[in-house]
Amino acid sequence: MPSGPDPAPAPDERPAPEARVTLIGKPGCHLCDAARAVVAQVTDELGESFVERSVLDEPELMARYAEEIPVTLVDGRQHDFWRVDADRLRAALERPQA
């Protein structure tokens, strides 16, 4: 049995940092496409990441957000719906995490 610390995982094996922004939408939604572009631009500028979730894949999201998509969450809290304002998203991401 070898001794010593375990070797560090290769860069592609390390867990990704938790995304601060979640975009909730669905395929074929033109407002979702526009929101994605804004979210991608702002998170890229700030070195943050985002994840997407679809109301079609998650019934609980459909029940909660069906009439509001696209919805953006920042740090797990609802931030915007229907449209994403780049300046407002940037300001939210520049504030320290709670």
Side-chain angles (χ1 to χ4, degrees):
M1 180 184 254
S3 62
D6 291 334
D12 60 343
E13 295 174 352
R14 292 187 185 128
E18 188 172 319
R20 293 189 61 199
V21 179
T22 301
L23 177 61
I24 300 169
K26 69 178 183 179
C29 164
H30 72 281
L31 290 177
C32 301
D33 294 340
R36 181 182 308 105
V38 173
V39 169
Q41 176 190 351
V42 172
T43 55
D44 188 52
E45 285 174 14
L46 299 177
E48 297 287 352
S49 60
F50 75 100
V51 296
E52 290 190 59
R53 295 171 63 187
S54 173
V55 296
L56 300 181
D57 296 332
E58 300 180 52
E60 65 277 6
L61 294 180
M62 178 66 87
R64 181 162 182 190
Y65 298 116
E67 299 300 319
E68 298 179 345
I69 63 168
V71 174
T72 52
L73 309 178
V74 174
D75 298 327
R77 295 179 170 220
Q78 187 169 342
H79 176 73
D80 267 327
F81 63 96
W82 294 334
R83 305 226 185 258
V84 179
D85 179 272
D87 292 333
R88 188 169 181 274
L89 179 59
R90 190 175 293 108
L93 291 170
E94 289 174 338
R95 286 193 293 270
Q97 287 180 266

